[in-house]
Amino acid sequence: MMPRSVRLAALGVIAEGVVGVVVAVLLALGGVTFSVWGFVALLGLAVGAAGVALVTGTRGARGPSLVAQLFVLGCGFYAAVPSHRPDWGVPVMVLAAVVLYGLLCAPTRAWADAEDGEDAEDGDGVRH
């Protein structure tokens, strides 16, 4: 059974994917070219798919989700500092940091390192 940290991180990754698709729709409605909003939609769908894969217990989805969090941190920093929009950037960075912690904490690492069919043990000795 997967630890709670994986499930919570997966929900955060899914939320980021949904936000990516919503942003793509808003870009399309705003008249931005297909090459831009299509790329954003594709990224949003890919991040959402990684989140769904995490929820279903696919250990291989942890890597793409980690990479996505690094990109989200960068986007949040860009929004907060150079774009002078900390009201947008800081919450994005906080969400990415929380999800990143959930993907890197000890119970998640133990779950990810376990072989298929093998129980993982979290930090307090409880087997999942």
Side-chain angles (χ1 to χ4, degrees), residues 5-118:
S5 59
V6 176
R7 289 190 299 267
L8 293 175
L11 293 176
V13 174
I14 290 171
E16 291 168 354
V18 168
V19 167
V21 171
V22 168
V23 167
V25 169
L26 293 174
L27 288 171
L29 294 175
V32 177
T33 63
F34 170 74
S35 61
V36 173
W37 69 259
F39 182 71
V40 172
L42 187 63
L43 284 177
L45 290 172
V47 170
V52 170
L54 273 176
V55 166
T56 62
T58 305
R59 290 178 174 92
R62 183 172 167 253
S65 298
L66 286 168
V67 171
Q69 297 320 299
L70 297 176
F71 282 118
V72 171
L73 273 173
C75 291
F77 177 81
Y78 185 82
V81 179
S83 296
H84 307 290
R85 292 300 308 258
D87 53 329
W88 286 56
V90 171
V92 168
M93 287 190 297
V94 168
L95 172 65
V98 168
V99 172
L100 198 58
Y101 173 77
L103 292 170
L104 292 174
C105 66
T108 302
R109 286 194 325 261
W111 170 80
D113 291 340
E115 296 294 323
D116 286 332
E118 185 179 312

